[in-house]
Amino acid sequence: MTRPSDVAAELRRVLDPVVSDAGLYLEDVAVSPAGRRSVVRVVVDLPDGPGGVDSDSLTDVSRKVSAALDEADVVRGAYTLEVSTPGISRPLTTARHFRRAQGRLVVARTAGGEVRGRIVEVAGEDVVLDTGSRHVVALADITSATVEPELGRPTTDAEEG
């Protein structure tokens, strides 16, 4: 019997070049049972920097992922394919995640407490936040961080996604 982690690893191997060729980054792949079917969830993102994956790019990569899955025949039986972006609720865990959230308001938790500010930049292994003044937090010191939704704040094209 094939383990779900083995299937996910094989899916990542098959899909990574497909997603990369589409100019995107393969963030995650997961397979879960859903009755008699499986659900294959593929999460894609921009490779780096602020901005968002536009709907045309998401549609294009979805078609390419579907074709690659049909050809590779990795998932046994019937399945539903879901291709999406990480969304605002994704925990920020890597320097790339923080760079992707540049310009956004975040809450970062460290052993010393909570810091709330707008990401100005990621410089090496440090996140620079505007908290009313410039506040530098080492990535290694951040135990958890998330983007804080800002209702009613107009976004720029670089901040969408």
Side-chain angles (χ1 to χ4, degrees):
M1 185 167 148
T2 307
R3 294 182 315 197
S5 61
D6 293 342
V7 173
E10 181 63 11
L11 285 171
R12 184 171 281 283
R13 185 192 67 73
V14 168
L15 297 179
D16 195 38
V18 173
V19 172
S20 182
D21 286 349
L24 298 173
Y25 177 82
L26 182 59
E27 184 78 34
D28 193 28
V29 178
V31 180
S32 58
R36 292 187 172 173
R37 305 174 73 88
S38 294
V39 176
V40 177
R41 289 184 179 86
V42 178
V43 180
V44 298
D45 200 2
L46 292 179
D48 209 345
V53 177
D54 62 74
S55 59
D56 289 341
S57 295
L58 190 60
T59 299
D60 181 54
V61 78
S62 295
R63 287 186 187 119
K64 291 175 179 177
V65 163
S66 179
L69 290 178
D70 288 347
E71 185 177 316
D73 197 27
V74 177
V75 181
R76 301 250 188 263
Y79 64 89
T80 300
L81 175 62
E82 295 178 0
V83 180
S84 64
T85 60
I88 195 168
S89 62
R90 161 185 54 196
L92 305 176
T93 59
T94 68
R96 188 182 74 76
H97 292 165
F98 283 92
R99 286 190 299 271
R100 293 280 301 113
Q102 188 172 332
R104 303 302 269 291
L105 186 62
V106 299
V107 176
R109 290 157 198 84
T110 68
E114 189 174 276
V115 180
R116 183 176 183 265
R118 193 165 310 281
I119 299 176
V120 176
E121 68 176 317
V122 178
E125 294 299 311
D126 295 327
V127 178
V128 181
L129 300 172
D130 178 356
T131 61
S133 62
R134 185 179 168 99
H135 190 90
V136 179
V137 182
L139 280 168
D141 293 341
I142 298 173
T143 57
S144 68
T146 54
V147 171
E148 190 167 284
E150 296 180 86
L151 301 177
R153 178 180 179 262
T155 59
T156 65
D157 288 343
E159 292 177 334
E160 291 179 357

